[in-house]
Amino acid sequence: MNSRLILVEGIPGAGKTITARKIKEKLIDEGKEAILYEEGMSHPADMAWNACLKEDEYNDFIKKCSEMWEGSKKSISKEELISRIQRQTRIEDNNVILAYTKIDFPEDCYWSLIGDVASKEICDGRKSLDEFRDIHLRRWSKFAEQALLNDNIYIFECAFLQNHIFELLGVYEKSDEEIYLYLKILLETVKSLSPSIVYIEPSSVEDIIIQAANERKSPEGSGPDWIDEVANWVSNMNFGKSHNLKGIEGVFYFCKERLRIDKLMIEKLNVSVTIIILLGTPI
């Protein structure tokens, strides 16, 4: 595989994370430098699960975390707490990009501060589509420029099809052609890296979703299960409201539509693709 950028894609629960890790391991075994960006990580191009903060907003978040540390068990030092936050932080264009879900907080109490930070994401319709597109085009272009300065192979999990189609379909209800034109332009920003897609195609959407729901149950009393959060997202997005999608059946419907669009985009986009047919448990 000569690609410098490998895009691992598939519907939720298909096994993208496991597949992406295996690709990284294989490349390293071959003596290559491989860097994997999983969903939600501090990312050089994607913005899902990353908040875009002004400097004063970020400093206020740090201050509140420090204040909470004062009344905590102090299982780590304040310096270590700040360091863990900073490891998930990027400074770009006078903004602070924070991968807030990946902060290794020592106690659960700190998560009470996350709501305000999460509201600063650019996804789920919090920005206009023009703003969403422009931010991503700028970041993907900058990433490609930086990637050309080294020989690393980069692996992105769900950053191309999933995270953009979720927004374009779920929030803005864009047509197939509009989604294609958007992705075509986005792909153009990284063409110098000869991008390729590894797509995990399930034989049954229902089976994959049910399996993921069973595997991703939250500990009792700790909060909603994964499937409940996904169903809530689907039902509250514009596409879900328009199609009256509810519960796990709504998730099935949305993911089938996602799969249809994914396959159409793969067919239309001029990009190398490897299809993995998933017949059972993700491997």
Side-chain angles (χ1 to χ4, degrees):
M1 187 177 290
N2 296 319
S3 175
R4 293 277 316 284
L5 175 60
I6 302 171
L7 306 165
V8 181
E9 297 286 346
I11 67 169
K16 296 185 293 295
T17 302
I18 294 173
T19 301
R21 289 175 180 175
K22 288 188 173 184
I23 292 172
K24 178 185 176 181
E25 291 171 3
K26 182 176 185 298
L27 290 170
I28 290 175
D29 287 345
E30 293 173 354
K32 299 172 182 176
E33 295 290 334
I35 299 176
L36 166 61
Y37 289 99
E38 296 179 12
E39 184 177 16
M41 289 178 63
S42 180
H43 205 288
D46 192 48
M47 288 291 289
W49 303 105
N50 280 245
C52 184
L53 307 173
K54 299 299 182 184
E55 184 178 359
D56 60 336
E57 294 172 329
Y58 176 72
N59 290 337
D60 184 58
F61 176 67
I62 293 287
K63 179 182 176 183
K64 288 178 179 177
C65 287
S66 298
E67 291 171 349
M68 186 163 283
W69 178 88
E70 295 291 348
S72 73
K73 298 177 183 178
K74 297 184 174 62
S75 56
I76 61 173
S77 68
K78 184 186 292 187
E79 290 73 21
E80 173 60 21
L81 173 63
I82 303 305
S83 177
R84 292 185 183 187
I85 297 171
Q86 290 173 338
R87 284 198 287 271
Q88 303 303 331
T89 300
R90 290 173 180 266
I91 308 299
E92 295 182 10
D93 300 327
N94 297 317
N95 291 318
V96 180
I97 311 299
L98 180 64
Y100 61 92
T101 68
K102 295 298 183 179
I103 300 172
D104 183 18
F105 287 125
E107 289 97 26
D108 290 342
C109 60
Y110 293 92
W111 284 98
S112 64
L113 303 175
I114 289 298
D116 287 343
V117 175
S119 70
K120 303 298 181 182
E121 269 201 64
I122 71 165
C123 301
D124 292 348
R126 295 184 179 97
K127 296 283 187 181
S128 70
L129 181 54
D130 285 343
E131 290 174 304
F132 178 87
R133 179 193 62 232
D134 293 346
I135 288 171
H136 276 102
L137 289 177
R138 185 167 61 250
R139 295 193 87 226
W140 281 64
S141 295
K142 187 177 292 186
F143 159 73
E145 292 173 5
Q146 293 297 316
L148 289 175
L149 301 178
N150 58 63
D151 295 324
N152 298 334
I153 297 175
Y154 294 89
I155 306 161
F156 286 2
E157 179 201 353
C158 74
F160 179 60
L161 293 178
Q162 175 166 294
N163 292 346
H164 291 274
I165 293 176
F166 269 11
E167 198 78 6
L168 295 168
L169 176 65
V171 177
Y172 298 104
E173 299 186 275
K174 293 301 179 181
S175 67
D176 292 353
E177 183 63 17
E178 289 171 311
I179 293 172
Y180 163 69
L181 292 174
Y182 175 99
L183 292 175
K184 180 181 178 182
I185 293 170
L186 187 66
L187 196 62
E188 184 74 12
T189 64
V190 292
K191 69 175 184 179
S192 58
L193 302 177
S194 301
S196 63
I197 294 175
V198 173
Y199 194 84
I200 309 164
E201 182 177 336
S203 57
S204 167
V205 168
E206 289 90 347
D207 288 350
I208 290 301
I209 297 301
I210 290 172
Q211 179 175 299
N214 290 333
E215 292 175 350
R216 300 179 185 182
K217 288 183 179 295
S218 300
E220 189 171 349
S222 65
D225 289 338
W226 171 81
I227 190 61
D228 296 324
E229 293 182 327
V230 175
N232 182 62
W233 183 88
V234 168
S235 65
N236 284 293
M237 288 299 101
N238 291 331
F239 181 87
K241 292 177 180 177
S242 297
H243 293 77
N244 195 31
L245 302 184
K246 303 290 182 183
I248 195 169
E249 293 296 331
V251 177
F252 292 158
Y253 185 99
F254 183 80
C255 286
K256 287 180 179 179
E257 184 66 359
R258 247 291 312 279
L259 179 59
R260 180 192 69 78
I261 294 173
D262 284 356
K263 293 170 74 172
L264 179 62
M265 295 304 111
I266 286 172
E267 179 184 321
K268 295 185 67 173
L269 291 166
N270 183 26
V271 60
S272 172
V273 180
T274 299
I275 304 290
I276 300 173
I277 303 296
L278 185 63
L279 299 177
T281 302
I283 57 174

